Amino acid sequence: MRRSIDELRTFYGEPTGALVRRLLARRLSDAWGTASNCDVLGLGYATPWLDGFSDARRVIAAMPGGQGAEHYASAARNRSVLVDERRLPFASGLFDRILMVHAIEEADDPQAILIEAARTLSPSGRLIVATAARGGLWARTEATPFGHGRPFSRRQLENLVRGAGLEPSAWSPAVYVPPWRPLLGFADGFEQVGRVAFPGAAGLILLEASRRNYARPRPKGNLVVLPRPALAPAPSGATRQSHSTGVSRDSELEPQRKPLYGGVPCTD
């Protein structure tokens, strides 16, 4: 059973929710920038972050029927819609960027909603799914929406997106501060120390994936560990390189050593 739209809206209006909003917005900005000239879909309850894509061509907030929908229209090109998560009312290949938050943890069939999201993703598009981390404290308290439904490990998320025909391309743990109000003021310090000293203690996981026909070929066997645990923007064209970790998403290009930051336009 999904959290209602009223519960989610209330949470993100409180200090704890505002902190999660800020920390995830920072990771999304590093990964996608403002998503210039992109068509962006927020699936689940992604509206707290959609205003960050100020240069997007179109932004749509799709909210599952079991959750309910809220009005979202910060500009004329932005819309919200109540959807059946197993049959999204969008054409195949429509979106350049898809952000999924509070989308799969409480879904009856997480694989089905990811398959539908993959169908609407453009051939060079990129998808980020954010969920509660199985080993984190946020999944162990029901005081936040992340304490409901099923949390995921990184490996479980990777297997799930592969089952939907996507290929994992980057990942990032986030929100190391425990979900206790007296500690929220130290969140930035927890983020810096947690990555180094307690990498498994993150409250949330963000995983980025793209269509398999644009993914780097990988050998069978054990999972290949990405060189850096950080979300990285990918190119919209076949020969562009990442502006975050510098890892090329074209199998013919070698990774760069110097990290760059900033969003990559979807069109020239």
Side-chain angles (χ1 to χ4, degrees), residues 31-39 55-57 96-97 124 126 233-238 240-241 243 261-268:
W32 291 351
T34 57
S36 178
N37 296 321
C38 294
D39 291 320
D55 292 340
R57 181 169 48 234
D96 304 293
R97 303 286 184 267
S124 59
R126 291 150 59 197
S236 58
R240 292 183 183 175
Q241 295 178 328
H243 278 214
Y261 296 90
V264 178
C266 287
T267 59
D268 295 327

mmCIF file of all heavy atoms in Angstrom, residues 31-39 55-57 96-97 124 126 233-238 240-241 243 261-268:
data_model
loop_
_atom_site.group_PDB
_atom_site.id
_atom_site.type_symbol
_atom_site.label_atom_id
_atom_site.label_comp_id
_atom_site.label_asym_id
_atom_site.label_seq_id
_atom_site.Cartn_x
_atom_site.Cartn_y
_atom_site.Cartn_z
ATOM 1 N N ALA A 31 24.477 15.265 -11.547
ATOM 2 C CA ALA A 31 24.261 14.267 -12.592
ATOM 3 C C ALA A 31 23.695 14.867 -13.869
ATOM 4 O O ALA A 31 24.169 14.574 -14.965
ATOM 5 C CB ALA A 31 23.333 13.172 -12.078
ATOM 6 N N TRP A 32 22.667 15.695 -13.741
ATOM 7 C CA TRP A 32 21.930 16.146 -14.912
ATOM 8 C C TRP A 32 21.938 17.645 -15.127
ATOM 9 O O TRP A 32 21.480 18.125 -16.166
ATOM 10 C CB TRP A 32 20.463 15.701 -14.810
ATOM 11 C CG TRP A 32 20.257 14.228 -14.946
ATOM 12 C CD1 TRP A 32 21.178 13.282 -15.311
ATOM 13 C CD2 TRP A 32 19.030 13.527 -14.716
ATOM 14 N NE1 TRP A 32 20.609 12.041 -15.319
ATOM 15 C CE2 TRP A 32 19.285 12.151 -14.966
ATOM 16 C CE3 TRP A 32 17.752 13.913 -14.335
ATOM 17 C CZ2 TRP A 32 18.298 11.171 -14.840
ATOM 18 C CZ3 TRP A 32 16.773 12.935 -14.203
ATOM 19 C CH2 TRP A 32 17.050 11.587 -14.459
ATOM 20 N N GLY A 33 22.423 18.414 -14.172
ATOM 21 C CA GLY A 33 22.333 19.860 -14.298
ATOM 22 C C GLY A 33 20.878 20.301 -14.347
ATOM 23 O O GLY A 33 20.038 19.815 -13.596
ATOM 24 N N THR A 34 20.577 21.205 -15.265
ATOM 25 C CA THR A 34 19.195 21.685 -15.403
ATOM 26 C C THR A 34 18.430 20.922 -16.474
ATOM 27 O O THR A 34 17.310 21.277 -16.801
ATOM 28 C CB THR A 34 19.178 23.184 -15.753
ATOM 29 O OG1 THR A 34 19.938 23.397 -16.955
ATOM 30 C CG2 THR A 34 19.776 24.008 -14.623
ATOM 31 N N ALA A 35 19.060 19.879 -17.055
ATOM 32 C CA ALA A 35 18.430 19.075 -18.112
ATOM 33 C C ALA A 35 17.979 19.956 -19.268
ATOM 34 O O ALA A 35 16.850 19.883 -19.747
ATOM 35 C CB ALA A 35 17.262 18.274 -17.551
ATOM 36 N N SER A 36 18.896 20.773 -19.738
ATOM 37 C CA SER A 36 18.592 21.742 -20.786
ATOM 38 C C SER A 36 18.026 21.076 -22.034
ATOM 39 O O SER A 36 18.594 20.116 -22.561
ATOM 40 C CB SER A 36 19.867 22.514 -21.138
ATOM 41 O OG SER A 36 19.625 23.435 -22.185
ATOM 42 N N ASN A 37 16.887 21.579 -22.491
ATOM 43 C CA ASN A 37 16.208 21.121 -23.707
ATOM 44 C C ASN A 37 15.772 19.662 -23.650
ATOM 45 O O ASN A 37 15.555 19.049 -24.694
ATOM 46 C CB ASN A 37 17.104 21.337 -24.928
ATOM 47 C CG ASN A 37 17.394 22.799 -25.184
ATOM 48 O OD1 ASN A 37 16.522 23.643 -25.023
ATOM 49 N ND2 ASN A 37 18.631 23.103 -25.539
ATOM 50 N N CYS A 38 15.642 19.119 -22.452
ATOM 51 C CA CYS A 38 15.200 17.727 -22.298
ATOM 52 C C CYS A 38 13.700 17.662 -22.015
ATOM 53 O O CYS A 38 13.101 18.612 -21.498
ATOM 54 C CB CYS A 38 15.930 17.058 -21.133
ATOM 55 S SG CYS A 38 17.700 16.845 -21.357
ATOM 56 N N ASP A 39 13.123 16.521 -22.312
ATOM 57 C CA ASP A 39 11.783 16.177 -21.837
ATOM 58 C C ASP A 39 11.969 15.305 -20.600
ATOM 59 O O ASP A 39 12.584 14.238 -20.682
ATOM 60 C CB ASP A 39 11.000 15.425 -22.904
ATOM 61 C CG ASP A 39 10.647 16.322 -24.088
ATOM 62 O OD1 ASP A 39 10.301 17.498 -23.850
ATOM 63 O OD2 ASP A 39 10.726 15.850 -25.234
ATOM 64 N N ASP A 55 15.605 24.459 -17.143
ATOM 65 C CA ASP A 55 15.799 24.653 -18.582
ATOM 66 C C ASP A 55 15.241 23.513 -19.423
ATOM 67 O O ASP A 55 15.497 23.455 -20.627
ATOM 68 C CB ASP A 55 17.295 24.803 -18.886
ATOM 69 C CG ASP A 55 17.860 26.104 -18.333
ATOM 70 O OD1 ASP A 55 17.061 27.015 -18.065
ATOM 71 O OD2 ASP A 55 19.096 26.201 -18.163
ATOM 72 N N ALA A 56 14.512 22.611 -18.793
ATOM 73 C CA ALA A 56 13.950 21.488 -19.542
ATOM 74 C C ALA A 56 12.892 21.973 -20.527
ATOM 75 O O ALA A 56 12.224 22.984 -20.313
ATOM 76 C CB ALA A 56 13.341 20.472 -18.590
ATOM 77 N N ARG A 57 12.759 21.247 -21.607
ATOM 78 C CA ARG A 57 11.753 21.606 -22.604
ATOM 79 C C ARG A 57 10.350 21.327 -22.085
ATOM 80 O O ARG A 57 9.406 22.077 -22.302
ATOM 81 C CB ARG A 57 12.030 20.797 -23.885
ATOM 82 C CG ARG A 57 11.076 21.065 -25.029
ATOM 83 C CD ARG A 57 11.580 20.432 -26.329
ATOM 84 N NE ARG A 57 11.986 19.051 -26.110
ATOM 85 C CZ ARG A 57 13.192 18.581 -26.438
ATOM 86 N NH1 ARG A 57 14.102 19.377 -26.961
ATOM 87 N NH2 ARG A 57 13.489 17.303 -26.240
ATOM 88 N N ASP A 96 13.699 12.151 -22.292
ATOM 89 C CA ASP A 96 15.160 12.133 -22.252
ATOM 90 C C ASP A 96 15.680 11.835 -20.856
ATOM 91 O O ASP A 96 16.788 11.302 -20.707
ATOM 92 C CB ASP A 96 15.715 13.496 -22.697
ATOM 93 C CG ASP A 96 15.217 13.897 -24.065
ATOM 94 O OD1 ASP A 96 15.587 13.230 -25.043
ATOM 95 O OD2 ASP A 96 14.445 14.877 -24.157
ATOM 96 N N ARG A 97 14.930 12.206 -19.840
ATOM 97 C CA ARG A 97 15.313 11.979 -18.451
ATOM 98 C C ARG A 97 14.083 11.496 -17.678
ATOM 99 O O ARG A 97 12.998 12.062 -17.811
ATOM 100 C CB ARG A 97 15.833 13.269 -17.784
ATOM 101 C CG ARG A 97 17.018 13.925 -18.500
ATOM 102 C CD ARG A 97 18.295 13.152 -18.276
ATOM 103 N NE ARG A 97 19.430 13.835 -18.868
ATOM 104 C CZ ARG A 97 19.897 13.610 -20.089
ATOM 105 N NH1 ARG A 97 19.286 12.714 -20.867
ATOM 106 N NH2 ARG A 97 20.950 14.263 -20.547
ATOM 107 N N SER A 124 18.765 7.434 -26.211
ATOM 108 C CA SER A 124 19.938 7.987 -25.540
ATOM 109 C C SER A 124 19.592 8.581 -24.179
ATOM 110 O O SER A 124 20.377 9.321 -23.593
ATOM 111 C CB SER A 124 20.595 9.065 -26.412
ATOM 112 O OG SER A 124 19.679 10.118 -26.677
ATOM 113 N N ARG A 126 18.329 8.832 -20.047
ATOM 114 C CA ARG A 126 18.892 8.353 -18.793
ATOM 115 C C ARG A 126 17.826 8.401 -17.710
ATOM 116 O O ARG A 126 17.006 9.311 -17.655
ATOM 117 C CB ARG A 126 20.086 9.221 -18.392
ATOM 118 C CG ARG A 126 21.283 9.038 -19.325
ATOM 119 C CD ARG A 126 22.108 10.278 -19.431
ATOM 120 N NE ARG A 126 22.612 10.679 -18.133
ATOM 121 C CZ ARG A 126 23.091 11.902 -17.892
ATOM 122 N NH1 ARG A 126 23.078 12.815 -18.839
ATOM 123 N NH2 ARG A 126 23.566 12.196 -16.700
ATOM 124 N N PRO A 233 26.695 12.579 -15.240
ATOM 125 C CA PRO A 233 25.895 12.885 -16.425
ATOM 126 C C PRO A 233 26.447 12.187 -17.645
ATOM 127 O O PRO A 233 27.653 12.052 -17.803
ATOM 128 C CB PRO A 233 26.003 14.407 -16.558
ATOM 129 C CG PRO A 233 27.254 14.757 -15.851
ATOM 130 C CD PRO A 233 27.409 13.748 -14.748
ATOM 131 N N ALA A 234 25.558 11.726 -18.511
ATOM 132 C CA ALA A 234 25.972 11.034 -19.725
ATOM 133 C C ALA A 234 25.705 11.918 -20.924
ATOM 134 O O ALA A 234 24.913 12.848 -20.863
ATOM 135 C CB ALA A 234 25.201 9.715 -19.866
ATOM 136 N N PRO A 235 26.339 11.650 -22.071
ATOM 137 C CA PRO A 235 26.145 12.475 -23.258
ATOM 138 C C PRO A 235 24.815 12.204 -23.913
ATOM 139 O O PRO A 235 24.264 11.118 -23.799
ATOM 140 C CB PRO A 235 27.295 12.037 -24.170
ATOM 141 C CG PRO A 235 27.534 10.628 -23.774
ATOM 142 C CD PRO A 235 27.284 10.578 -22.284
ATOM 143 N N SER A 236 24.295 13.216 -24.591
ATOM 144 C CA SER A 236 23.081 13.003 -25.366
ATOM 145 C C SER A 236 23.400 12.454 -26.737
ATOM 146 O O SER A 236 22.578 11.825 -27.368
ATOM 147 C CB SER A 236 22.314 14.317 -25.515
ATOM 148 O OG SER A 236 23.136 15.276 -26.146
ATOM 149 N N GLY A 237 24.627 12.670 -27.224
ATOM 150 C CA GLY A 237 25.048 12.154 -28.516
ATOM 151 C C GLY A 237 25.989 10.996 -28.340
ATOM 152 O O GLY A 237 26.446 10.686 -27.246
ATOM 153 N N ALA A 238 26.365 10.342 -29.442
ATOM 154 C CA ALA A 238 27.153 9.123 -29.359
ATOM 155 C C ALA A 238 28.580 9.367 -28.956
ATOM 156 O O ALA A 238 29.254 8.470 -28.483
ATOM 157 C CB ALA A 238 27.131 8.394 -30.701
ATOM 158 N N ARG A 240 29.746 12.225 -27.050
ATOM 159 C CA ARG A 240 29.959 13.134 -25.930
ATOM 160 C C ARG A 240 30.366 12.366 -24.698
ATOM 161 O O ARG A 240 30.026 11.217 -24.517
ATOM 162 C CB ARG A 240 28.703 13.945 -25.654
ATOM 163 C CG ARG A 240 28.409 14.920 -26.788
ATOM 164 C CD ARG A 240 27.205 15.769 -26.454
ATOM 165 N NE ARG A 240 26.895 16.654 -27.563
ATOM 166 C CZ ARG A 240 25.844 17.445 -27.598
ATOM 167 N NH1 ARG A 240 25.008 17.471 -26.585
ATOM 168 N NH2 ARG A 240 25.608 18.200 -28.636
ATOM 169 N N GLN A 241 31.065 13.039 -23.775
ATOM 170 C CA GLN A 241 31.556 12.401 -22.581
ATOM 171 C C GLN A 241 30.929 13.019 -21.347
ATOM 172 O O GLN A 241 30.368 14.106 -21.390
ATOM 173 C CB GLN A 241 33.077 12.531 -22.501
ATOM 174 C CG GLN A 241 33.776 11.770 -23.633
ATOM 175 C CD GLN A 241 35.266 11.957 -23.564
ATOM 176 O OE1 GLN A 241 35.733 12.994 -23.137
ATOM 177 N NE2 GLN A 241 36.013 10.960 -23.959
ATOM 178 N N HIS A 243 30.212 14.910 -17.854
ATOM 179 C CA HIS A 243 30.691 16.141 -17.256
ATOM 180 C C HIS A 243 30.865 16.006 -15.766
ATOM 181 O O HIS A 243 31.064 16.984 -15.073
ATOM 182 C CB HIS A 243 29.699 17.284 -17.553
ATOM 183 C CG HIS A 243 29.908 17.861 -18.911
ATOM 184 N ND1 HIS A 243 29.714 19.189 -19.202
ATOM 185 C CD2 HIS A 243 30.317 17.280 -20.066
ATOM 186 C CE1 HIS A 243 29.964 19.422 -20.469
ATOM 187 N NE2 HIS A 243 30.329 18.269 -21.022
ATOM 188 N N TYR A 261 31.967 18.895 -14.221
ATOM 189 C CA TYR A 261 30.648 19.016 -13.611
ATOM 190 C C TYR A 261 29.778 19.912 -14.484
ATOM 191 O O TYR A 261 30.236 20.817 -15.155
ATOM 192 C CB TYR A 261 30.754 19.609 -12.203
ATOM 193 C CG TYR A 261 31.506 18.712 -11.270
ATOM 194 C CD1 TYR A 261 32.881 18.837 -11.132
ATOM 195 C CD2 TYR A 261 30.868 17.704 -10.574
ATOM 196 C CE1 TYR A 261 33.596 17.995 -10.302
ATOM 197 C CE2 TYR A 261 31.566 16.856 -9.744
ATOM 198 C CZ TYR A 261 32.924 17.015 -9.608
ATOM 199 O OH TYR A 261 33.628 16.179 -8.797
ATOM 200 N N GLY A 262 28.476 19.612 -14.413
ATOM 201 C CA GLY A 262 27.517 20.416 -15.159
ATOM 202 C C GLY A 262 26.638 19.546 -16.022
ATOM 203 O O GLY A 262 26.983 18.408 -16.341
ATOM 204 N N GLY A 263 25.492 20.059 -16.441
ATOM 205 C CA GLY A 263 24.558 19.287 -17.229
ATOM 206 C C GLY A 263 24.934 19.292 -18.700
ATOM 207 O O GLY A 263 25.665 20.134 -19.181
ATOM 208 N N VAL A 264 24.429 18.315 -19.423
ATOM 209 C CA VAL A 264 24.667 18.199 -20.851
ATOM 210 C C VAL A 264 23.345 18.384 -21.578
ATOM 211 O O VAL A 264 22.383 17.694 -21.268
ATOM 212 C CB VAL A 264 25.269 16.824 -21.200
ATOM 213 C CG1 VAL A 264 25.469 16.704 -22.702
ATOM 214 C CG2 VAL A 264 26.581 16.629 -20.460
ATOM 215 N N PRO A 265 23.250 19.330 -22.524
ATOM 216 C CA PRO A 265 21.981 19.553 -23.232
ATOM 217 C C PRO A 265 21.538 18.298 -23.964
ATOM 218 O O PRO A 265 22.347 17.531 -24.463
ATOM 219 C CB PRO A 265 22.301 20.688 -24.207
ATOM 220 C CG PRO A 265 23.519 21.356 -23.648
ATOM 221 C CD PRO A 265 24.285 20.250 -22.949
ATOM 222 N N CYS A 266 20.212 18.119 -24.057
ATOM 223 C CA CYS A 266 19.680 16.995 -24.799
ATOM 224 C C CYS A 266 19.748 17.243 -26.295
ATOM 225 O O CYS A 266 19.796 16.339 -27.086
ATOM 226 C CB CYS A 266 18.222 16.743 -24.399
ATOM 227 S SG CYS A 266 18.087 16.017 -22.762
ATOM 228 N N THR A 267 19.710 18.521 -26.700
ATOM 229 C CA THR A 267 19.817 18.857 -28.103
ATOM 230 C C THR A 267 20.776 20.011 -28.263
ATOM 231 O O THR A 267 21.007 20.779 -27.322
ATOM 232 C CB THR A 267 18.460 19.273 -28.681
ATOM 233 O OG1 THR A 267 17.955 20.416 -27.965
ATOM 234 C CG2 THR A 267 17.451 18.150 -28.590
ATOM 235 N N ASP A 268 21.349 20.128 -29.428
ATOM 236 C CA ASP A 268 22.277 21.237 -29.710
ATOM 237 C C ASP A 268 21.516 22.523 -29.975
ATOM 238 O O ASP A 268 20.386 22.496 -30.373
ATOM 239 C CB ASP A 268 23.155 20.899 -30.913
ATOM 240 C CG ASP A 268 24.064 19.707 -30.609
ATOM 241 O OD1 ASP A 268 24.460 19.579 -29.465
ATOM 242 O OD2 ASP A 268 24.326 18.949 -31.569
#
